[in-house]
Amino acid sequence: MQALRIARAEGRKVLDEPSGKALLASFGFRVPAFRVVKRAQDLARIGATLRSPYVLKALSTQVVHKSDVGAVKLGLRTLADVEREMEGMRASLPVKGIDPESWLVEEMAPPGLECVVGGVMDPEFGPMVMVGLGGIFVELLADVSFRICPIGRVDALEMLEELRSAALLRGARGREPASLEAIVDALLKMGGEGGVLLRCAAEVSEVDVNPLVVTRDGAIAVDARFVLRPG
Ligand code: ADP
Ligand code: MG
């Protein structure tokens, strides 16, 4: 919560991803173990504290969708690979007008079903929690469902049932089924009593966990976007 106030006081529009993940973790979300480094020399300090494979992300206030500009590298086996990719981005990002402020190195989560969990502050209804399935389902098909906060367990289950893509949750087409319980849990942490949206309503206008990666046995928030209220 402190991080939200500081970021707003600094005039930022969006909370940086590491602070966003720390905030999510304080509400009980599972997030990948991560370190933030300023330069390649700092990678040595990471040593054995993170488990391979790693993910490298360039952090910059100028970037909204990191993967669109090549600011995310997945599946890096060694810290030497991380360093090489960092050098690569140092060369490629300035061409796009991006000057990374720091670098996020984190553990790569095992594959799963990618969901979106988040919310908006509606001028009429106040905090509203949202869920959808990741990728094209949210972006192209707008297959999402909303509820006014706070929600309870039954509301969360109904939200999932409402999705046109609900069948995917049950493991359609040979996919592993995702843990519904883990998504319901995340929805309650986001939109329930005492959840992120109600607690952060004064400071934040929008929250997006995109994606929440859901497997048979749990869910992990691998991205975190908090849009700050101006002022
Ligand atoms: P963007 O700013 O483009 O949304 P993300 O941080 O969401 O960047 O990363 C892009 C994609 O990379 C995610 O949708 C997810 O598929 C994958 N990804 C990112 N971080 C991780 C991670 N720690 N473990 C596994 N996959 C990840
Ligand atoms: Mg994302």
Side-chain angles (χ1 to χ4, degrees), residues 142-179:
D143 185 18
V144 292
S145 63
F146 282 91
R147 285 288 184 290
I148 297 173
C149 298
I151 55 162
R153 192 163 290 276
V154 174
D155 304 306
L157 278 167
E158 278 175 11
M159 289 176 76
L160 294 176
E161 286 302 321
E162 257 171 47
L163 296 174
R164 279 175 282 148
S165 48
L168 286 179
L169 297 170
R170 295 182 216 102
R173 300 228 169 145
R175 287 167 181 252
E176 251 205 28
S179 165

Side-chain angles (χ1 to χ4, degrees), residues 5-112:
R5 283 190 282 272
I6 293 170
R8 281 178 78 214
E10 286 173 351
R12 289 182 179 253
K13 295 189 172 72
V14 177
L15 191 65
D16 62 283
E17 180 173 337
S19 302
K21 282 179 164 147
L23 187 54
L24 288 177
S26 77
F27 281 89
F29 278 84
R30 204 148 71 82
V31 300
F34 67 82
R35 296 286 180 277
V36 178
V37 298
K38 283 279 180 202
R39 56 191 78 75
Q41 295 93 293
D42 301 338
L43 287 173
R45 283 193 291 111
I46 291 178
T49 59
L50 294 183
R51 257 180 316 166
S52 164
Y54 309 107
V55 174
L56 174 69
K57 302 182 186 182
L59 298 176
S60 163
T61 52
Q62 297 154 297
V63 175
V64 178
H65 297 294
K66 297 176 296 291
S67 29
D68 288 356
V69 296
V72 178
K73 294 288 172 193
L74 304 171
L76 306 174
R77 295 272 146 213
T78 66
L79 289 172
D81 294 336
V82 173
E83 181 169 356
R84 195 194 56 238
E85 294 297 344
M86 203 184 271
E87 277 156 13
M89 284 192 222
R90 266 227 190 287
S92 64
L93 292 176
V95 179
K96 298 165 187 160
I98 300 158
D99 179 22
E101 287 125 41
S102 56
W103 305 85
L104 176 59
V105 185
E106 64 184 17
E107 292 184 357
M108 182 151 170

Side-chain angles (χ1 to χ4, degrees), residues 105-117:
V105 185
E106 64 184 17
E107 292 184 357
M108 182 151 170
L113 186 72
E114 299 202 348
C115 297
V116 182
V117 167

